[in-house]
Amino acid sequence: MTNSSSHAHPVDNEAGKLGMWLFLFTEFFLFGGLFLVYAVFRAKFSDGFHTGANDLNAMIGTINTVVLLVSSMTVAMAITAIQKGSNQKAILFLVATILLALVFMINKYFEWAHKIELHLFPGSEALQTLERGELLFFSLYYMMTGLHALHVIIGLTLLIICIFQIKAGNTHKGQYLLLENSGLYWHLVDLIWIFLFPLLYLLT
Amino acid sequence: MRNAEKYTHVSYLEHEGKYKGIWSWLLSTDHKKIGLLYLYSIAFFFVVAAILGLLLRLELIAPGPTIMDAQMYNGVFTLHGIIMVFIVVIPGLGAVFGNFFLPIMIGAKDVAFPRLNLLSWYIFIIGALLGVASQFAGDGPPDTGWTFYVPYSAESATNVIFALTAAFVLGFSSILTGINFIVTIHRMRAPGMGWFKMPLFPWSLYATAWIQVLATPIVGITLLMVIAERTLNIGFFDPALGGDPLLFQHLFWIYSHPAVYIMILPAMGVVTEIFPTFSQKPVFGYGAIVISSLAIAFVGYFVWGHHMFTTGISYWSRWFFSFLTFIVAIPSAIKVFNWISTMYGGSIDLKPPLLYAISFIFLFMIGGFTGLTLGALATNVHLHDTSFVVAHFHYIIFGGMGFAFFAGIHYWYPKMYGRMYNIKLANIAWGVLFTGFNLLYFPLFIIGLQGMPRRYFDYLPQFHAGHFISTIGAIILVIGIFMMMYNLIYYRHRGPVAPSNPWKGVTLEWQIESPPTHENFDVIPEIKNPPYLFKKEPQT
Amino acid sequence: MDEHKPHISSYLSHARVLTALLFLTLITVLLTWIDLGVFTIAVTLLVASVKATIVLTWFMHLKFESAFTRWIVIGTFALFVLILIVTFVDYFFR
């Protein structure tokens, strides 16, 4: 969203940020649809959801929560660093964020791999034998964490672009809209997880 | 494009930036050129879908199969619906006239994110092509209707996934346009143009853009869930897997009802521009129109359940949705009163744009009142899924949004191209269109009341007369459309050169030359007065 | 170019915010060991909302943005909650 300069306009950072917020709203509503489905089925099949949540490993969930929260802080710190003019520090914080994101994804991979080993994946026969509530729980689990993981990957890409932009000298103390917006996006990923984590892992 | 040299009176049509020839269009970030790109692509799809609609009507000219079989009929009405709703009507006014005139009317040189704007058009084209591809790739054209109701859409053997993806992609394009417009209106109004000095077409686009941003993602995720349902057996909506088909309808209409307001609000905005100009009178009740636009946008979120009255949703839910459906009629009625009061006592100049705008009110009123008939719980049970519903929403969407689009193109044509179409021919085409339209859709109300179901390719002999008249109307309507398009296309290069302000309008787009220059304004204007101050009026 | 000078948050303030978030995470996890009955969902969602508000306010700089930005964020959440409630008017009374 740094497209504000076409004609003779100066770059309008406020416009860029407002545009990003609006985009985040659409992301929020994209997940909102899934939260709505979750709410309806949870109300209908609370028992199945309890057993379903019991099958998930709360430990992995907690670790991933901590990882994402810390990464949220490092990306916020990267913005502080760029505002203070220390580009090197900013890059370091971004690298840290990216590493944390990778940890999150690796964790996720093991979690999913384990479930698939148990033949609990969408469309599997083992899943079809479960009672309805549990089946729906797992469908939601895959849909929600899958969409979330996709957003982690997009955020990751944005952060990597930020590093290159800082190195190329396009993002600096005077102009860091891209970094700021990527940061906002990354926080959104965190925000969604803040709700996903208790809803999927904890409510047993 | 970034050159600092002054382009004096080189119109945007001739202006070439970094790229030459066709690329000066396909890679242009000029909001006016993008508006025209949308216009041409939407006009193309409109003609395609109108012909499909004509085929449907021809099939119904007599009982029994006439020109197609039942399965093909299902495919054709699905494609007609998908193209008309997702490709033509939802982007329609906003993407064409919004892109072209929003920046000009608020005194800006372009939208806030010009490159994003171009990207939206490409995404739109990708979505449109996917929609077309759904007809040819895979196992036959989708036959679910544009609403994709599950469980059928999860089970139909036809190529539903392509159509779902197309709708998803088109939604994305719509979201990006919405974001662009909101930011443009917030950040780029000319100095001195406070919120309440902004013309009303931008106001209506503002209300629309919020719906685009906050409602479209819901249908996006819903369509993704149906795709997952088809590919992964995920079972949210399939009762056999514990899912709930009604949940799909909730999610679908949470977007698709507000989508009706995405269609109609800009239409209202267009005619709100036309009435003051052709009455040479300030618009009546500026504030009321602004507030009613916002009210429609907000209340419009909470009426989605009126599509589901007969599905077994709870009593209180039906009560609530029916009540709000009646409430949402109030701001719409306020607007109608304002338009009529604007004309009252004005010096009315009955040119083609005004003709279309007045017929907009007429048709929109019929559509609106029949909407109340459908919104009432008791009558809805009788009328649900009959051709009464078909007639109702065509009166709103075609009679409303379509006629407002025609009004807009006749109003702004001289500004967009610097030429004038043949006014006499435009009047005749209007007459043909209007006659054909009413002949086509009014009988559907009557046979709907008598029990003719919608989406049936065959019917009982007692409905023959109604269907026959309706098909004759369809033929007349299509002739009218082609007359109108011929007029607009033929005089594009051959028409007399239009003065910069042929209708004596007072909003900003009439203060610059026709066609506008690449940057719209040599000097960004400073706004001191509220909009719609006509010279004859005593200045306050 | 900029209408107001951007607020620069200190590293320390970010660390403090993280501490608060981790503390709240600990609370939600611990809460699972206590049976709160029907209130479990409510309390869990409440804690999650507090966490979300903290992220929005400090990490996402809402505190230092214009009032308009704050209001549209609040409005968007409110709209979603309203849609949820209206949907449940159907499901609760069916």
Side-chain angles (χ1 to χ4, degrees):
Chain A
M1 308 247 156
T2 50
N3 304 335
S4 3
S5 62
S6 163
H7 301 309
H9 299 301
V11 177
D12 184 351
N13 283 328
E14 290 297 313
K17 241 195 287 184
L18 178 59
M20 191 64 198
W21 274 104
L22 293 172
F23 184 69
L24 294 188
F25 294 161
T26 70
E27 294 280 14
F28 169 68
F29 268 86
L30 193 71
F31 281 96
L34 282 172
F35 281 123
L36 191 70
V37 174
Y38 177 92
V40 166
F41 286 141
R42 185 167 188 98
K44 257 180 141 175
F45 303 100
S46 51
D47 292 343
F49 271 58
H50 277 267
T51 24
N54 263 332
D55 287 346
L56 293 187
N57 188 335
M59 199 58 193
I60 296 190
T62 314
I63 292 171
N64 263 350
T65 307
V66 173
V67 166
L68 267 194
L69 288 174
V70 175
S71 79
S72 237
M73 179 190 72
T74 52
V75 89
M77 284 180 165
I79 292 172
T80 303
I82 207 110
Q83 284 171 327
K84 290 186 172 169
S86 39
N87 289 1
Q88 276 316 309
K89 252 190 193 167
I91 291 179
L92 273 180
F93 279 125
L94 284 176
V95 171
T97 314
I98 290 167
L99 288 178
L100 287 165
L102 288 175
V103 170
F104 179 90
M105 290 304 287
I106 291 166
N107 246 334
K108 189 99 267 166
Y109 167 76
F110 280 118
E111 198 189 0
W112 276 34
H114 180 65
K115 285 274 156 323
I116 289 169
E117 229 170 77
L118 297 173
H119 297 288
L120 292 174
F121 55 89
S124 75
E125 275 176 26
L127 208 59
Q128 311 286 343
T129 58
L130 294 177
E131 66 147 321
R132 287 174 162 197
E134 245 184 302
L135 169 74
L136 288 171
F137 177 83
F138 275 107
S139 294
L140 270 168
Y141 162 77
Y142 276 105
M143 195 92 188
M144 289 172 123
T145 56
L147 192 66
H148 181 260
L150 183 71
H151 282 75
V152 172
I153 293 169
I154 296 171
L156 207 63
T157 321
L158 281 173
L159 294 174
I160 292 171
I161 293 173
C162 281
I163 293 182
F164 282 109
Q165 289 294 323
I166 295 174
K167 282 198 170 152
N170 296 331
T171 293
H172 49 77
K173 193 179 174 183
Q175 178 50 259
Y176 51 87
L177 180 65
L178 175 70
L179 179 62
E180 213 176 2
N181 279 347
S182 310
L184 283 178
Y185 192 87
W186 191 253
H187 292 307
L188 176 89
V189 170
D190 191 21
L191 268 185
I192 302 287
W193 186 259
I194 284 177
F195 285 98
L196 285 187
F197 166 60
L199 288 180
L200 292 176
Y201 293 82
L202 293 183
L203 287 174
T204 53
Chain B
M1 194 189 317
R2 274 157 227 265
N3 283 350
E5 57 180 291
K6 274 265 167 286
Y7 298 99
T8 38
H9 304 286
V10 175
S11 95
Y12 77 102
L13 293 161
E14 273 102 52
H15 173 82
E16 287 191 339
K18 267 186 290 189
Y19 308 100
K20 303 285 165 222
I22 184 92
W23 296 111
S24 77
W25 284 85
L26 291 181
L27 293 175
S28 170
T29 54
D30 183 345
H31 65 99
K32 299 180 287 299
K33 285 191 173 176
I34 294 172
L36 290 190
L37 287 177
Y38 270 115
L39 174 64
Y40 302 143
S41 24
I42 286 175
F44 170 76
F45 281 104
F46 172 71
V47 170
V48 171
I51 290 170
L52 289 174
L54 182 65
L55 291 177
L56 294 174
R57 281 312 326 167
L58 287 175
E59 162 56 37
L60 293 172
I61 198 166
T66 45
I67 59 168
M68 56 179 98
D69 62 9
Q71 180 62 24
M72 188 177 166
Y73 183 84
N74 290 347
V76 173
F77 79 64
T78 302
L79 188 62
H80 170 80
I82 290 175
I83 293 183
M84 281 299 194
V85 172
F86 291 113
I87 303 180
V88 176
V89 185
I90 289 180
L93 281 161
V96 177
F97 298 125
N99 260 323
F100 202 109
F101 287 105
L102 169 66
I104 301 182
M105 290 175 93
I106 62 171
K109 291 185 171 179
D110 208 322
V111 291
F113 310 115
R115 282 190 288 173
L116 188 69
N117 200 16
L118 182 64
L119 180 69
S120 313
W121 182 73
Y122 276 100
I123 296 176
F124 168 80
I125 289 297
I126 293 171
L129 293 179
L130 271 171
V132 173
S134 73
Q135 295 302 302
F136 305 106
D139 315 314
D143 57 352
T144 59
W146 74 276
T147 48
F148 304 115
Y149 270 19
V150 281
Y152 185 61
S153 64
E155 282 158 13
S156 165
T158 58
N159 196 4
V160 182
I161 290 185
F162 265 66
L164 290 167
T165 318
F168 179 82
V169 172
L170 288 164
F172 198 60
S173 160
S174 172
I175 287 174
L176 294 181
T177 306
I179 291 176
N180 222 332
F181 284 0
I182 294 178
V183 178
T184 306
I185 291 172
H186 269 280
R187 302 294 305 172
M188 299 182 75
R189 278 171 289 134
M193 184 180 277
W195 280 95
F196 289 94
K197 285 184 184 168
M198 192 162 71
L200 287 161
F201 180 54
W203 258 116
S204 70
L205 288 171
Y206 184 70
T208 311
W210 273 108
I211 313 178
Q212 284 173 294
V213 168
L214 294 181
T216 318
I218 302 250
V219 82
I221 191 68
T222 312
L223 299 175
L224 283 185
M225 282 188 258
V226 179
I227 293 176
E229 187 116 5
R230 283 181 71 90
T231 49
L232 300 169
N233 259 335
I234 218 157
F236 293 145
F237 305 130
D238 187 353
L241 294 169
D244 179 1
L246 274 192
L247 187 57
F248 172 84
Q249 296 190 17
H250 273 299
L251 287 163
F252 182 81
W253 290 113
I254 287 174
Y255 165 72
S256 297
H257 195 81
V260 175
Y261 299 107
I262 297 180
M263 305 165 186
I264 202 69
L265 275 172
M268 293 166 159
V270 169
V271 297
T272 313
E273 293 298 326
I274 289 172
F275 285 117
T277 301
F278 290 91
S279 312
Q280 291 293 303
K281 240 185 97 200
V283 73
F284 182 88
Y286 175 95
I289 295 184
V290 170
I291 291 165
S292 61
S293 291
L294 298 174
I296 290 176
F298 180 71
V299 182
Y301 268 100
F302 302 104
V303 298
W304 78 78
H306 68 213
H307 296 267
M308 305 160 62
F309 284 156
T310 57
T311 56
I313 58 173
S314 78
Y315 168 78
W316 284 109
S317 180
R318 273 178 284 159
W319 185 91
F320 174 85
F321 284 125
S322 179
F323 177 71
L324 280 195
T325 305
F326 278 80
I327 294 288
V328 86
I330 295 173
S332 313
I334 288 176
K335 280 175 187 290
V336 171
F337 294 135
N338 279 314
W339 295 323
I340 292 172
S341 311
T342 303
M343 286 193 287
Y344 178 77
S347 52
I348 289 175
D349 187 10
L350 204 59
K351 290 276 166 38
L354 188 64
L355 270 179
Y356 279 107
I358 290 174
S359 43
F360 165 88
I361 296 188
F362 179 77
L363 302 173
F364 179 73
M365 294 276 283
I366 295 179
F369 280 130
T370 51
L372 291 181
T373 319
L374 287 164
L377 289 175
T379 42
N380 180 276
V381 176
H382 178 65
L383 295 171
H384 186 81
D385 260 355
T386 64
S387 70
F388 190 91
V389 180
V390 177
H392 157 70
F393 70 71
H394 279 92
Y395 263 90
I396 291 286
I397 295 178
F398 193 174
M401 185 278 175
F403 271 69
F405 193 96
F406 300 154
I409 191 119
H410 284 90
Y411 181 51
W412 281 313
Y413 184 91
K415 180 56 66 186
M416 293 161 84
Y417 296 111
R419 300 274 178 166
M420 186 59 93
Y421 49 83
N422 184 331
I423 291 197
K424 206 170 161 192
L425 182 56
N427 285 337
I428 297 169
W430 168 82
V432 177
L433 251 171
F434 187 75
T435 315
F437 180 91
N438 285 296
L439 266 185
L440 164 55
Y441 295 113
F442 205 84
L444 296 185
F445 280 128
I446 297 166
I447 55 174
L449 271 171
Q450 292 165 349
M452 172 70 210
R454 69 191 281 206
R455 290 181 170 174
Y456 276 32
F457 100 118
D458 196 3
Y459 51 84
L460 297 173
Q462 72 207 64
F463 301 123
H464 190 184
H467 276 299
F468 185 76
I469 298 172
S470 177
T471 304
I472 299 299
I475 295 166
I476 297 175
L477 177 69
V478 170
I479 293 172
I481 291 172
F482 279 113
M483 282 170 76
M484 183 194 73
M485 292 183 95
Y486 166 80
N487 187 8
L488 295 177
I489 294 167
Y490 183 83
Y491 289 102
R492 158 74 185 84
H493 290 291
R494 298 176 188 82
V497 173
S500 66
N501 190 359
W503 320 120
K504 303 195 207 66
V506 287
T507 37
L508 278 176
E509 79 268 32
W510 303 112
Q511 317 304 319
I512 57 175
E513 57 263 43
S514 298
T517 55
H518 173 62
E519 298 225 310
N520 302 344
F521 301 95
D522 293 335
V523 183
I524 293 289
E526 188 126 358
I527 312 296
K528 297 198 179 70
N529 294 316
Y532 312 113
L533 271 187
F534 289 85
K535 292 215 176 64
K536 282 179 219 152
E537 289 293 311
Q539 303 251 349
T540 42
Chain C
M1 208 161 86
D2 276 316
E3 283 160 339
H4 53 88
K5 266 203 147 57
H7 173 92
I8 303 181
S9 316
S10 68
Y11 297 117
L12 186 65
S13 74
H14 289 318
R16 279 200 201 113
V17 172
L18 179 70
T19 320
L21 288 171
L22 290 177
F23 178 69
L24 286 168
T25 310
L26 185 71
I27 288 182
T28 19
V29 176
L30 290 181
L31 272 176
T32 54
W33 295 346
I34 312 164
D35 188 13
L36 292 171
V38 284
F39 294 110
T40 320
I41 299 182
V43 173
T44 318
L45 280 180
L46 187 72
V47 176
S49 305
V50 173
K51 280 166 80 179
T53 314
I54 291 173
V55 171
L56 281 164
T57 315
W58 281 284
F59 279 170
M60 296 175 92
H61 283 176
L62 260 193
K63 192 167 191 250
F64 316 108
E65 295 289 343
S66 65
F68 174 75
T69 315
R70 278 200 293 277
W71 276 111
I72 53 176
V73 174
I74 294 169
T76 305
F77 276 94
L79 182 70
F80 178 70
V81 173
L82 275 176
I83 289 177
L84 205 66
I85 291 172
V86 171
T87 312
F88 270 85
V89 172
D90 176 18
Y91 282 95
F92 271 149
F93 297 107
R94 214 188 268 172

